[in-house]
């Protein structure tokens, strides 16, 4: 047995590399000293950001230090007695109190992600006495492990801009496959993930999305932070409390969930993608609405709830610019067929009707019904709904979009 955290009596005896930081003692067989040192530096730079995120007094972590084992050859760690028998077999990583084990992955990014992920669990066990039910435990760990850069420069809670930044991470690729097969879970389905979930990328991805949406909107965020303090409770009581506190918000949350699940991808930027809608929006009195739709933002609501049984006429106009290089790409509501995004011309004006009632008995969502508004269009609104619109373009490429579309919304009598 090697006493955890002590230097080995002989470096030759075990060939493992040990590095110690402020919050981590790392034992590893990764390929390079540089990678090991970056792992330690990244971890130490991430912890203060976790502390900020949760609003934990920093002194509370004065005695917290994680023994981390990052392993290429797990059998060697086993042989040296560094993995207790009570640790079950795991596909990526495992946390037990202040000890974490991570299997080195095919990219440094993904290995680092998993180390941070297990570190978040360890922090939750230490500070909150537990990490809550599956979706919350895995979702918060994913949220606070997803990062930009590395070492001292690391920034956590960042959606990757580009696939090349995060090799083998794979969350968005899988989400896209699930969208194609109409297999996106409802928020309730995610919140009911079983406790014995063995960390597949799919359930990690949706748990991340669930926690992310609570984090992204100020009206839910305090409840997310408060929920962490109930971390000891990994049973149904945890969700019941959260649901109760957000009861009035739930229809809006469900609608936003549908939109987010449809759009999440590299470069998704919450500062553009927050959807302003609320169950408290007034009921539409039928007076014509004139709307401007910005091409550099995600879904934009009419600001009213449209009563059921109404037919709505949409008349689009205006012009937007989608890029300036090498010359301006100007588009009108039909879009420009020069380039397509998700099967539709970029620049196309899109509408979506979102029912106010959250209820669905099914475990997966109906695919988002997106209606192109290329000319005068009449939409049936069968139930009380929000009507939202956006300009079709990759979520990562909204930044340089300019101009606006105009939309006249009237009742068909
Ligand atoms: Zn986990």
């Amino acid at each position: 047995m090697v006493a955890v955290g002590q230097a080995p009596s002989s470096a030759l005896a075990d060939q493992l590399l040990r590095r110690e930081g402020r919050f981590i003692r790392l034992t590893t067989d990764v390929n390079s000293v540089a990678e090991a040192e970056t792992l330690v530096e990244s971890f130490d730079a991430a912890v203060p950001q976790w502390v900020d995120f949760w609003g934990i007094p920093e002194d509370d972590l004065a005695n917290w230090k994680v023994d981390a084992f990052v392993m290429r050859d797990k059998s060697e760690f086993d042989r040296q007695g560094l993995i207790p028998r009570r640790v079950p077999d795991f596909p990526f990583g495992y946390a037990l109190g202040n000890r974490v084990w991570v299997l080195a992955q095919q990219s440094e990014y993904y290995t680092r992600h998993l180390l941070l992920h297990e570190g978040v669990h360890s922090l939750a066990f230490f500070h909150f006495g537990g990490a809550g039910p599956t979706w919350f435990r895995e979702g918060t760990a994913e949220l606070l492990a997803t990062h930009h850069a590395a070492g001292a420069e690391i920034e956590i809670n960042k959606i990757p801009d580009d696939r090349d930044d995060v090799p083998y991470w794979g969350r968005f690729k899988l989400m896209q496959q699930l969208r194609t097969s109409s297999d996106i879970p409802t928020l309730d389905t995610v919140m009911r993930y079983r406790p014995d979930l063995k960390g597949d990328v799919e359930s990690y991805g949706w748990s991340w999305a669930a926690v992310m949406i609570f984090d992204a909107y100020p009206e839910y965020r305090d409840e997310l932070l408060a929920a962490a303090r109930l971390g000891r409770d990994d049973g149904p009581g945890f969700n019941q409390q959260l649901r109760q506190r957000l009861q009035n918000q739930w229809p809006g949350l469900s609608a936003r969930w549908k939109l987010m699940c449809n759009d999440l991808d590299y470069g998704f930027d919450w500062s553009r993608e927050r959807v302003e809608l609320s169950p408290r929006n007034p009921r539409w009195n039928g007076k014509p609405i004139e709307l401007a739709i910005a091409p550099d933002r995600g879904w934009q609501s009419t600001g009213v709830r449209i009563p059921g049984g109404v037919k709505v006429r949409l008349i689009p106009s205006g012009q937007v610019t989608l890029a300036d290089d090498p010359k301006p790409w100007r588009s009108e509501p039909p879009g420009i067929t020069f380039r397509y995004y998700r099967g539709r011309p970029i620049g196309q004006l899109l509408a979506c009707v979102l029912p106010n009632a959250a209820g669905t008995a099914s475990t997966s969502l109906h695919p988002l019904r997106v209606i192109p508004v290329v000319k005068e269009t009449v939409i049936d609104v069968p139930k009380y709904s929000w009507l939202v619109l956006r300009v079709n373009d990759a979520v990562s490429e909204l930044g340089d979009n300019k101009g606006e579309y105009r939309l006249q919304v009237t009742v068909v009598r």
Side-chain angles (χ1 to χ4, degrees):
M1 279 289 275
V2 171
V4 169
Q6 286 180 5
S9 50
S10 152
L12 283 174
D14 62 12
Q15 303 290 326
L16 297 178
L17 186 63
R18 287 175 167 79
R19 284 292 183 273
E20 182 158 354
R22 180 170 166 211
F23 296 108
I24 182 172
R25 269 183 297 262
L26 174 68
T27 305
T28 185
D29 62 349
V30 292
N31 286 323
S32 73
V33 173
E35 181 180 358
E37 288 176 349
T38 303
L39 284 170
V40 168
E41 250 190 295
S42 302
F43 196 91
D44 278 347
V47 173
Q49 298 177 57
W50 298 340
V51 164
D52 268 358
F53 178 88
W54 291 121
I56 300 173
E58 211 165 321
D59 287 353
D60 290 12
L61 293 188
N63 296 317
W64 181 66
K65 197 160 204 172
V66 167
D67 281 301
F69 304 88
V70 175
M71 314 179 286
R72 283 193 308 135
D73 176 11
K74 190 180 171 200
S75 63
E76 179 60 23
F77 290 75
D78 253 331
R79 204 182 57 73
Q80 296 193 27
L82 298 174
I83 311 173
R85 278 183 210 290
R86 52 196 282 235
V87 174
D89 206 20
F90 53 86
F92 296 108
Y94 192 79
L96 181 70
N98 62 352
R99 282 178 291 172
V100 306
W101 294 266
V102 169
L103 298 180
Q105 302 295 310
Q106 293 183 71
S107 74
E108 289 193 21
Y109 175 87
Y110 200 17
T111 303
R112 201 162 52 236
H113 176 96
L114 295 178
L115 173 63
L116 297 177
H117 175 115
E118 298 306 330
V120 175
H121 288 330
S122 181
L123 176 68
F125 301 155
F126 179 83
H127 189 74
F128 300 123
T134 302
W135 74 274
F136 191 84
R137 184 184 71 227
E138 300 310 328
T140 51
E142 286 289 287
L143 186 80
L144 300 177
T146 306
H147 62 277
H148 281 182
E153 311 292 298
I154 199 168
E155 281 184 273
I156 55 100
N157 195 2
K158 293 283 172 192
I159 296 177
D161 287 331
D162 194 289
R163 195 178 53 189
D164 297 339
D165 294 343
V166 290
Y168 297 99
W169 176 73
R171 308 295 193 256
F172 290 143
K173 184 177 172 188
L174 191 80
M175 283 180 185
Q176 183 53 37
Q177 285 162 0
L178 295 167
R179 276 193 284 263
T180 310
S181 60
S182 302
D183 215 4
I184 295 180
T186 62
L187 183 55
D188 287 290
T189 305
V190 175
M191 290 175 73
R192 284 196 302 262
Y193 278 152
R194 299 203 329 251
D196 59 348
L197 189 90
K198 270 270 172 63
D200 57 287
V201 170
E202 178 176 341
S203 51
Y204 274 30
W206 296 124
S207 298
W208 172 53
V211 168
M212 185 159 53
I213 201 167
F214 283 106
D215 177 40
Y217 287 95
E219 57 268 49
Y220 315 142
R221 189 159 191 278
D222 287 348
E223 302 307 336
L224 178 82
L225 298 181
R229 278 143 185 90
L230 307 172
R232 259 173 233 284
D233 181 357
D234 59 5
F238 182 100
N239 284 348
Q240 273 160 18
Q241 277 224 33
L242 186 61
R243 264 202 96 117
Q244 213 160 30
R245 285 160 171 250
L246 289 172
Q247 199 174 12
N248 299 332
Q249 304 273 9
W250 215 262
L253 174 59
S254 300
R256 286 162 161 172
W257 171 257
K258 284 182 199 170
L259 297 174
M260 177 194 68
C261 289
N262 185 68
D263 297 329
L264 258 187
D265 210 338
Y266 293 103
F268 185 94
D269 176 353
W270 277 110
S271 71
R272 299 180 191 284
E273 298 288 345
R274 277 187 201 95
V275 189
E276 293 308 320
L277 52 76
S278 161
R280 283 197 287 270
N281 289 146
R283 175 183 188 272
W284 188 29
N285 57 13
K287 279 193 187 143
I289 299 172
E290 278 283 343
L291 268 187
I293 295 129
D296 60 351
R297 298 225 22 233
W299 294 100
Q300 298 154 62
S301 168
T302 54
V304 294
R305 294 181 304 116
I306 297 172
V310 167
K311 276 189 201 305
V312 179
R313 176 178 285 117
L314 305 178
I315 303 175
S317 62
Q319 195 181 69
V320 299
T321 308
L322 299 170
D324 276 320
D325 199 24
K327 57 179 183 166
W329 293 11
R330 294 216 171 82
S331 175
E332 293 186 352
I336 41 181
T337 54
F338 187 74
R339 190 186 285 177
Y340 282 71
Y341 177 66
R342 297 233 181 128
R344 300 175 192 280
I346 62 167
Q348 190 166 80
L349 179 60
L350 306 175
C352 180
V353 175
L354 290 165
N356 293 165
T360 165
S362 151
T363 54
S364 48
L365 292 179
H366 296 295
L368 197 66
R369 198 173 144 244
V370 173
I371 305 157
V373 187
V374 303
K375 56 181 195 312
E376 183 173 326
T377 303
V378 172
I379 296 179
D380 263 321
V381 179
K383 310 186 253 198
Y384 255 103
S385 296
W386 290 285
L387 172 65
V388 295
L389 300 115
R390 77 180 295 160
V391 178
N392 188 43
D393 199 359
V395 292
S396 58
E397 292 186 7
L398 303 184
D400 59 354
N401 295 353
K402 292 192 270 294
E404 64 181 29
Y405 287 150
R406 310 284 310 177
L407 189 71
Q408 203 184 78
V409 187
T410 53
V411 178
V412 179
R413 307 274 178 195

